[in-house]
């Protein structure tokens, strides 16, 4: 089956604005070179300002030309938040009538309308122990949390963006309002984060809105599966005392002076969770004295006295918490944790169905005529690559000097693999998936690096030189239909950011050469040959052409002499250094004098559409 992915639609561009943005950039590039070579000594601050202004101008030009597009984080409509906050501070779960819930639902709908693909649930979470210590409803509601779980749009979930940026975009935390995307909800439940477990197990009184899909999940899961997980137990016991205490110099723990009354109540909430776990009971949304252990009742009485009558102090209360925790720790020694795989299977399968909403995924395919040779390559590379399905392999390339046509009999064998995790594994993952595996080192004759499709796309967007060279190369050991489809767009990856990355690599090599750390070694010759190889590539890229990664003709003959012969005579180290510097300076000068520039960045939507197609979705 052919691999298809949609090309991004061309954006409207103001030609005059683009011309002016280009002229501004090029003028500043020329100024940078002039300042650097000028006999007048400028302060370091001038160079710093030029560099920062160049970055800003690149951003401006990329926006004018339309190559600035990137990951768009989830956002909410802030207009209804004030009214929603006021309503949150007026109610506790026991006061949530159907009319009040309708008000919450209407406001939440406005907050998330058009922002999320689907809201799955919204619940009101409280600290039952704090509520039990207060007389007035307004006080009981003071620390309420509205927790929302939603499904994001495909472009947000399947993004090539860095996972750290994704987390920032998929978790909205206003303190009293917390909204998490489906995938992060699954991660948090698997880790045993207590508030997210409570959202699954809280009673119907606390539910402001739940979809039929959420209701199906909550009726499928057993509370013992979720609360009995090691993550939940450890989160509860670890934070109950550890979060409000510090070690004494003489041993033992003491309460932090900054601990608040509410934090003491939160500690009781967590210890109460443990007590109910051991009793085989679910979380509670309301503290009932008759259901508590002796020490639990004692803690509740003291909390009420502290708040309502001013009796006792938090430092006097702390030993009660320590004693309660020690009692529970003794019982936990014989506790049998639930199996995480069973919980993750239920949560993961549900997440996948929520994401797909009935859509079917297109399976990845390998080239059948090359299956046997591909399997042999996978077995030779070994490690995790050997255990993959052939359809997961997008590319196998013999990289390094072999790919450049500059290998010698002594060259290392270096493979690079691009692969895709099974689509259902990605959709149902309750933990961060590993995205790379490497077997590298100076002592290893056989090296390889394998990179998952998302990480590969991220490296493409960063214009990693070694990754771009994979795309620019016309033939590899194995190229899947997905890779060939991407390779057909190779001219899209010749960008200004790519040029900057190539220049950065050359500058780094110059710095190492000039440090004279490797004089007389093969490493020294390798640094020089890499410079000449990248300079040749840059001459093509400056014209907007894809560089021929594999060297031929006079270029190859010269670089092979540098690579294999002693650095003497016409290849003397100082002579090579002057030649390389002259070529580099000429190139940089020519780049600054261009009337036109390439696109500043690789088209983000190109990579997004390709990655979505790899995941089996129509882009």
């Amino acid at each position: 089956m052919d691999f298809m992915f949609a090309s991004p639609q061309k954006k409207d561009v103001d030609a005059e604005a683009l011309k002016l943005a280009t002229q501004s950039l090029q003028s500043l590039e020329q100024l940078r070179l002039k300042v650097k070579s000028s006999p007048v000594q400028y302060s370091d601050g001038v160079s710093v300002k030029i560099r920062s202004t160049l970055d800003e101008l690149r951003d401006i030009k990329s926006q004018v030309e339309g190559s600035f597009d990137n990951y768009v984080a989830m956002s909410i409509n802030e207009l209804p938040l004030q009214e929603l906050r006021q309503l949150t501070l007026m109610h506790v779960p026991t006061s949530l009538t159907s009319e009040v819930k309708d008000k919450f639902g209407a406001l939440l709908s406005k907050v998330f309308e058009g922002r999320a693909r689907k809201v799955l649930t919204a619940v009101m979470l409280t600290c039952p122990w704090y509520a039990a210590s207060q007389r007035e409803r307004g006080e009981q509601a003071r620390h309420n949390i509205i927790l929302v779980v939603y499904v994001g749009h495909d472009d947000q979930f399947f993004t090539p963006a860095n996972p750290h940026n994704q987390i920032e975009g998929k978790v909205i935390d206003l303190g009293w309002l917390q909204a998490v995307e489906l995938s992060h909800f699954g991660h948090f439940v698997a880790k045993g984060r207590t508030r997210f477990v409570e959202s699954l197990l809280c009673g119907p009184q606390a539910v402001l809105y739940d979809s039929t899909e959420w209701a199906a999940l909550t009726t499928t899961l057993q509370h013992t599966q979720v609360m009995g997980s090691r993550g939940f137990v450890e989160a509860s016991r670890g934070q109950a005392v550890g979060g409000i205490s510090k070690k004494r110099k003489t041993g033992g723990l003491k309460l932090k002076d900054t601990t608040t009354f509410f934090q003491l109540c939160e500690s009781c909430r967590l210890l109460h969770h443990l007590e109910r776990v051991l009793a085989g009971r679910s979380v509670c949304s309301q503290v009932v004295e008759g259901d508590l252990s002796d020490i639990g009742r004692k803690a509740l009485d003291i909390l009420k006295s502290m708040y309502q009558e001013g009796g006792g102090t938090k430092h006097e209360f702390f030993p009660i918490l320590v004693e309660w925790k020690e009692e529970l720790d003794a019982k936990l020694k014989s506790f049998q944790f639930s199996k995480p795989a069973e919980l993750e299977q239920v949560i993961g399968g549900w997440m996948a169905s929520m994401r797909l909403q009935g859509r079917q995924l297109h399976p990845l395919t390998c080239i059948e005529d090359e299956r046997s040779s591909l399997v042999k390559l996978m077995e030779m590379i070994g490690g995790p690559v050997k255990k993959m399905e052939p359809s997961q392999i997008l590319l196998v390339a013999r990289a390094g000097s072999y790919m450049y046509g500059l290998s010698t009999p002594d060259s290392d064998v270096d493979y690079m693999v691009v692969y895709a995790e099974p689509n259902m594994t990605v959709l149902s993952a309750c933990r961060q998936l590993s995205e790379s595996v490497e077997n590298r080192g100076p002592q290893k004759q056989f090296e390889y690096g394998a990179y998952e499709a998302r990480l590969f796309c991220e490296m493409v967007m960063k214009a990693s030189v070694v990754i771009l060279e994979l795309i620019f190369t016309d033939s590899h050991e194995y190229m899947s239909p997905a890779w060939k489809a991407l390779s057909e767009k190779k001219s899209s990856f010749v960008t200004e950011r790519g040029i900057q990355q190539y220049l950065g690599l050359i500058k780094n090599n110059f710095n190492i050469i000039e440090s004279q750390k490797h004089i007389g070694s093969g490493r020294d010759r390798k640094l020089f040959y890499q410079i000449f190889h990248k300079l040749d590539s840059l001459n093509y890229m400056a014209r907007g052409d894809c560089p021929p990664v594999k060297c031929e003709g006079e270029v190859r003959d010269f670089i092979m002499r540098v690579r294999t012969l002693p650095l003497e005579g016409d290849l003397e180290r100082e002579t090579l250094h002057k030649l390389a510097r002259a070529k580099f300076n000429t190139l940089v000068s020519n780049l600054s004098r261009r009337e036109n520039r390439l696109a500043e960045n690789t088209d983000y939507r190109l990579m997004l559409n390709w990655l979505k197609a790899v995941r089996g979705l129509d882009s």
Side-chain angles (χ1 to χ4, degrees):
M1 185 178 85
D2 292 336
F3 182 90
M4 303 290 291
F5 76 105
S7 296
Q9 292 183 346
K10 290 186 177 181
K11 305 173 182 68
D12 293 332
V13 176
D14 184 329
E16 184 63 24
L18 179 58
K19 180 180 178 181
L20 292 171
T22 300
Q23 290 174 346
S24 299
L25 254 173
Q26 293 301 94
S27 295
L28 194 57
E29 289 278 18
Q30 292 172 32
L31 176 61
R32 181 181 67 84
L33 295 177
K34 182 62 178 176
V35 167
K36 188 175 180 180
S37 62
S38 175
V40 177
Q41 294 296 312
Y42 297 94
S43 69
D44 292 341
V46 172
S47 296
V48 171
K49 288 178 181 178
I50 289 176
R51 286 196 297 270
S52 63
T53 306
L54 276 172
D55 288 339
E56 291 178 2
L57 286 176
R58 290 184 186 114
D59 283 348
I60 291 171
K61 176 176 173 286
S62 68
Q63 293 194 46
V64 171
E65 72 193 4
S67 73
F68 186 77
D69 286 355
N70 209 323
Y71 170 66
V72 178
M74 167 69 175
S75 64
I76 56 177
N77 179 9
E78 297 183 2
L79 292 177
L81 289 183
Q82 184 176 356
E83 187 177 352
L84 181 62
R85 173 66 168 148
Q86 291 174 344
L87 194 62
T88 302
L89 292 174
M90 292 169 55
H91 290 280
V92 293
T94 53
S95 68
L96 293 175
T97 63
S98 58
E99 183 180 353
V100 171
K101 288 186 178 183
D102 287 342
K103 289 181 181 179
F104 270 106
L107 290 171
L108 287 167
S109 178
K110 291 179 182 178
V111 170
F112 290 94
E113 187 176 12
R115 312 301 178 102
R117 189 168 157 212
K118 184 178 180 67
V119 172
L120 296 172
T121 191
V123 297
M124 176 179 285
L125 299 179
T126 65
C127 176
W129 286 77
Y130 181 81
S133 68
Q134 314 297 306
R135 289 195 179 98
E136 300 296 328
R137 191 171 79 188
E139 281 297 310
Q140 294 171 356
R142 185 179 173 189
H143 295 285
N144 281 355
I145 296 172
I146 305 300
L147 180 63
V148 178
V149 181
Y150 69 92
V151 183
H153 294 286
D154 287 346
D155 287 2
Q156 293 170 327
F157 178 73
F158 295 103
T159 174
N162 181 280
H164 176 73
N165 295 337
Q166 292 185 49
I167 291 174
E168 289 183 346
K170 294 181 180 178
V171 178
I172 295 172
D173 189 350
L174 304 181
W176 64 275
L177 174 65
Q178 297 181 17
V180 294
E181 210 276 335
L182 174 68
S183 56
H184 290 283
F185 169 77
H187 292 179
F188 290 152
V189 171
K191 289 179 180 177
R193 293 274 291 269
T194 58
R195 283 307 196 183
F196 296 89
V197 170
E198 289 173 15
S199 72
L200 278 171
L201 303 177
C202 66
Q205 275 187 320
V207 177
L208 302 173
Y209 166 79
D210 66 340
S211 60
T212 54
E213 295 93 338
W214 181 266
L217 174 66
T218 56
T219 55
T220 301
L221 278 174
Q222 301 294 317
H223 72 264
T224 51
Q225 283 180 295
V226 191
M227 294 178 65
S229 71
R230 185 179 294 274
F232 180 78
V233 170
E234 292 300 328
S236 298
R237 68 178 295 276
Q239 296 169 21
V241 173
I244 59 173
S245 65
K246 59 183 179 180
K247 290 184 178 179
R248 297 179 181 273
K249 292 181 179 179
T250 56
L253 297 173
K254 67 175 181 179
L255 187 70
K256 292 178 182 177
D257 292 335
T258 55
T259 301
T260 64
F261 178 81
F262 175 68
Q263 287 174 316
L264 295 178
C265 294
E266 284 282 88
S267 293
C268 289
R269 175 179 68 86
L270 296 172
L271 292 173
H272 194 198
H273 281 329
L274 292 180
E275 193 168 277
R276 294 180 74 87
V277 165
L278 290 166
R281 304 175 69 185
S282 185
V283 298
C284 70
S285 56
Q286 188 175 3
V287 177
V288 179
E289 289 190 36
D291 291 338
L292 296 173
S293 62
D294 291 343
I295 195 167
R297 283 194 294 273
K298 182 177 180 181
L300 181 60
D301 290 342
I302 295 175
L303 285 176
K304 287 181 177 180
S305 174
M306 286 174 64
Y307 193 83
Q308 297 176 10
E309 302 168 15
T313 67
K314 60 185 180 182
H315 289 280
E316 293 172 342
F317 183 71
F318 182 64
I320 302 295
L321 294 176
V322 174
E323 181 184 352
W324 194 0
K325 178 179 178 296
E326 289 174 348
E327 279 190 12
L328 295 171
D329 281 347
K331 296 176 181 178
L332 281 170
K333 289 179 180 179
S334 58
F335 181 73
Q336 295 294 315
F337 295 104
S338 60
K339 296 178 180 179
E342 293 180 357
L343 173 61
E344 291 179 20
Q345 184 176 8
V346 174
I347 294 287
W350 177 78
M351 288 197 304
S353 64
M354 292 302 95
R355 185 78 59 196
L356 290 174
Q357 293 290 307
R359 293 176 294 175
Q360 297 298 311
L361 297 176
H362 307 301
L364 279 173
T365 59
C366 67
I367 299 174
E368 287 300 324
D369 292 346
E370 300 180 29
R371 178 181 285 269
S372 60
S373 59
L374 172 59
V375 170
K376 289 179 181 177
L377 275 172
M378 295 168 65
E379 290 175 348
M380 181 180 65
I381 293 170
V385 174
K386 180 181 178 180
K387 299 176 183 177
M388 296 178 185
E389 291 294 323
S391 58
Q392 289 180 249
I393 305 299
L394 306 178
L395 172 78
V396 179
R398 188 167 174 186
S401 59
Y402 179 86
M403 189 167 65
Y404 305 150
L406 301 172
S407 60
T408 67
D410 297 328
S411 295
D412 295 335
V413 178
D414 185 2
Y415 280 94
M416 292 188 70
V417 178
V418 180
Y419 69 94
E421 283 284 357
N423 294 328
M424 290 305 294
T425 299
V426 174
L427 292 172
S428 62
C430 291
R431 302 177 186 275
Q432 190 68 45
L433 297 173
S434 173
E435 293 188 317
S436 67
V437 57
E438 294 193 342
N439 180 58
R440 301 189 186 281
Q443 306 303 319
K444 297 182 185 293
Q445 186 66 19
F446 182 88
E447 300 180 289
Y448 70 86
Y451 308 99
E452 210 280 326
R454 192 219 60 83
L455 177 59
F456 164 76
C457 290
E458 181 186 342
M459 292 191 288
V460 170
M461 296 303 301
K462 292 178 178 177
S464 164
V465 173
V466 294
I467 297 299
L468 290 181
E469 287 178 336
L470 291 177
I471 297 174
F472 293 146
T473 302
D474 289 325
S475 62
H476 291 294
E477 303 296 297
Y478 172 76
M479 298 185 292
S480 69
W483 182 268
K484 290 179 178 179
L486 184 67
S487 182
E488 290 176 359
K489 315 280 188 183
K490 66 175 61 179
S491 61
S492 302
F493 302 101
V494 183
T495 64
E496 293 296 329
R497 175 170 288 202
I499 287 176
Q500 290 301 315
Q501 290 297 317
Y502 272 75
L503 291 173
L505 187 153
I506 292 171
K507 291 175 185 177
N508 184 62
N509 278 23
F510 273 129
N511 289 336
I512 299 174
I513 287 170
E514 290 160 8
S515 72
Q516 300 187 345
K517 291 180 180 179
H518 305 287
I519 289 180
S521 69
R523 170 68 171 155
D524 210 31
R525 293 197 299 274
K526 186 173 184 178
L527 291 166
F528 274 114
Y529 100 66
Q530 286 179 338
I531 288 176
F532 288 112
H533 178 257
K534 306 313 173 197
L535 285 171
D536 181 62
S537 293
L538 280 169
N539 285 322
Y540 285 87
M541 295 174 73
R543 301 193 299 265
D545 297 329
C546 294
V549 177
K550 189 170 185 177
C551 294
E552 295 179 341
E554 292 181 2
V555 172
R556 181 182 184 279
D557 293 341
F558 173 73
I559 294 179
M560 283 301 290
R561 290 182 67 218
V562 175
R563 177 159 169 65
T564 59
L565 299 180
L567 299 186
E568 55 188 35
D570 65 331
L571 296 179
E572 187 178 14
R573 193 174 189 275
E574 185 177 348
T575 302
L576 282 180
H577 184 258
K578 287 182 178 178
L579 177 61
R581 271 294 180 189
K583 286 179 174 290
F584 179 76
N585 292 339
T586 298
L587 173 67
V588 171
S589 178
N590 290 339
L591 287 170
S592 72
R593 293 199 301 270
R594 290 174 296 167
E595 292 186 4
N596 298 303
R597 289 172 66 95
L598 307 172
E600 296 299 317
N601 305 300
T602 296
D603 193 322
Y604 171 80
R605 189 150 292 277
L606 174 72
M607 297 311 301
L608 173 64
N609 288 349
W610 183 78
L611 183 59
K612 286 167 64 177
V614 166
R615 300 298 190 215
L617 289 175
D618 294 324
S619 54

